[in-house]
Amino acid sequence: MKRFLTILCCCLPFLVQAQSKSKTAVGPTDQPPYLQFPVVPNYKVTLPDGHIINTKDSLKKNEKTLVFVFSVDCDHCKHLTQEVLQNIDKFKKTRILMLTPFQPEQMKQYYNSYNIKNYPNIIMASEPTRQIMYFYNLHYFPGLFVYDKKQKFVKGFEGTVKMEELMTYLN
């Protein structure tokens, strides 16, 4: 028994180390999906009129994209939505894809309260499976993710962001 305990004590540090992640090895699985796959994600989403589309199909080629992940009851999201709409002229060359993990009915209320139909470069949709949250590893609303004209990831923001900082990546 004494011999068994001695062997176990000698091997225990190696067993523990084998089970822990290496701090020096950084692989693609250590990154959230949006960094592993740095292109605009393709999800089936529901528009306010009930139609289901793929996010990629709604984007134009050679146009920057801003993916704006929002919550229908988040005050920061509401404030940022108002700020974007007040500065909509700065987004002329940008497609804004506003996605919410909430149900289409809740999204439609938000859509109507901000008159999003008056802004042709904004597509608002519901993605209630919440996969968009996992893709962006989002913990706080809003989430803003900038993509270039080739739909490659440029910069991501989580939580409140100043319009000036956001515009530096869109101009």
Side-chain angles (χ1 to χ4, degrees):
M1 183 69 169
K2 188 175 180 181
R3 178 179 263 191
F4 175 73
L5 286 174
T6 305
I7 293 171
L8 182 63
C9 288
C10 290
C11 293
L12 191 60
F14 296 108
L15 292 173
V16 171
Q17 185 178 4
Q19 296 300 315
S20 67
K21 273 189 171 181
S22 171
K23 301 267 187 209
T24 58
V26 177
T29 57
D30 294 338
Q31 298 178 333
Y34 75 97
L35 294 175
Q36 291 179 47
F37 308 99
V39 294
V40 177
N42 193 23
Y43 286 103
K44 287 186 186 242
V45 294
T46 305
L47 297 174
D49 65 4
H51 284 88
I52 296 174
I53 64 165
N54 288 319
T55 51
K56 287 262 188 173
D57 296 341
S58 64
L59 304 176
K60 294 180 181 176
K61 293 185 187 233
N62 295 321
E63 185 176 60
K64 293 179 183 180
T65 302
L66 174 64
V67 176
F68 180 168
V69 183
F70 71 100
S71 166
V72 297
D73 56 5
C74 164
D75 289 334
H76 295 286
C77 299
K78 292 174 182 178
H79 177 74
L80 188 59
T81 300
Q82 289 172 338
E83 199 171 352
V84 166
L85 296 178
Q86 289 169 354
N87 293 286
I88 199 69
D89 57 318
K90 295 178 180 176
F91 294 92
K92 285 180 184 174
K93 297 179 180 180
T94 303
R95 172 71 62 182
I96 302 172
L97 185 57
M98 292 184 71
L99 300 174
T100 185
F102 287 80
Q103 294 298 319
E105 303 79 36
Q106 295 169 294
M107 179 263 308
K108 191 170 182 177
Q109 291 173 350
Y110 196 96
Y111 178 85
N112 290 332
S113 67
Y114 289 99
N115 294 311
I116 299 299
K117 66 181 177 212
N118 296 333
Y119 304 96
N121 62 325
I122 299 178
I123 298 170
M124 185 179 285
S126 169
E127 196 283 305
T129 66
R130 303 186 71 83
Q131 291 301 309
I132 201 78
M133 299 290 293
Y134 300 117
F135 181 79
Y136 286 115
N137 195 27
L138 200 60
H139 298 99
Y140 305 103
F141 289 109
L144 296 160
F145 302 90
V146 178
Y147 293 86
D148 66 15
K149 290 180 179 185
K150 294 181 181 179
Q151 298 180 354
K152 299 288 184 200
F153 178 73
V154 175
K155 179 72 174 168
F157 301 93
E158 187 172 353
T160 305
V161 63
K162 293 188 184 286
M163 188 62 60
E164 298 81 32
E165 186 176 2
L166 179 61
M167 295 314 298
T168 61
Y169 295 97
L170 288 169
N171 291 328

